[in-house]
């Protein structure tokens, strides 16, 4: 049956809080977030996937320090970015790039030409902003002070 959603989110928050004290050393490019692996946990994962709720749940299987998605045109009720809230509740920084600046389903395009269109609270607290290039956001994230708490 698994853990209740609130308890699951609390466990992920505590796990991710411990990870914030570790230096992020790798950036992984995966066209689909469904390809996330244990090696990517606590690192930066650039995907070509939409930023919806199902994508967020897939990312949480091996929670990265920073997850990057495509906004897929936002969609009805912002469905293309609603995963940002899920990842925020789990303590994972997440951003999406505009579908007008990167090909959906292509991580290399996300990295090379993507412009950030939305950030979650954790990403915002790390200093990431809309309007940044994906590369600039990653660079800024790598230079942020580590949480000693």
């Amino acid at each position: 049956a698994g853990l209740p959603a609130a308890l699951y989110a609390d466990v992920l928050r505590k796990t991710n809080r411990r990870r914030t004290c570790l230096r992020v050393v790798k950036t992984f490019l995966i066209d689909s977030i469904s390809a996330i692996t244990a090696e990517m946990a606590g690192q930066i994962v650039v995907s070509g996937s939409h930023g919806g709720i199902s994508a967020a749940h897939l990312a949480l299987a091996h929670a990265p320090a920073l997850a990057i998605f495509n906004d897929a045109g936002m969609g009805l009720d912002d469905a293309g970015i609603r995963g940002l809230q899920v990842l925020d509740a789990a303590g994972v920084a997440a951003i999406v790039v505009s579908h007008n600046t990167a090909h959906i389903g292509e991580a290399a395009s996300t990295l090379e030409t993507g412009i950030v269109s939305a950030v979650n609270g954790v990403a915002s607290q790390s200093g990431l902003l809309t309007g940044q290039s994906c590369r600039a956001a990653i660079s800024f994230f790598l230079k942020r002070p580590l949480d000693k708490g």
Side-chain angles (χ1 to χ4, degrees):
L3 295 172
L7 182 57
Y8 179 67
D10 187 52
V11 168
L12 285 171
R13 253 193 312 278
K14 289 177 182 171
T15 301
N16 201 50
R17 206 174 300 133
R18 283 193 296 274
R19 274 193 205 112
T20 61
C21 296
L22 303 174
R23 177 59 60 194
V24 174
V25 295
K26 289 187 180 179
T27 299
F28 294 90
L29 274 66
I30 52 176
D31 289 335
S32 173
I33 197 65
S34 65
I36 197 166
T37 65
E39 178 186 17
M40 298 174 197
Q43 302 302 313
I44 296 172
V45 176
V46 179
S47 80
S49 294
H50 63 76
I53 291 172
S54 62
H57 286 290
L58 289 169
L60 289 175
H62 304 290
L66 173 62
I68 304 173
F69 302 93
N70 191 295
D71 70 16
M74 302 293 186
L76 182 64
D77 298 326
D78 288 334
I81 65 169
R82 294 214 11 228
L84 295 179
Q85 297 168 357
V86 172
L87 292 165
D88 195 54
V92 176
I95 64 176
V96 295
V97 301
S98 170
H99 68 287
N100 289 318
T101 64
H103 297 134
I104 299 170
E106 296 181 19
S109 178
T110 300
L111 178 65
E112 294 300 325
T113 61
I115 301 296
V116 178
S117 59
V119 303
N120 72 2
V122 177
S124 178
Q125 290 171 1
S126 295
L128 303 187
L129 304 166
T130 60
Q132 288 177 309
S133 71
C134 182
R135 279 196 179 278
I138 290 170
S139 179
F140 194 88
F141 189 79
L142 288 169
K143 294 175 184 169
R144 78 197 187 292
L146 292 178
D147 179 10
K148 303 295 182 194

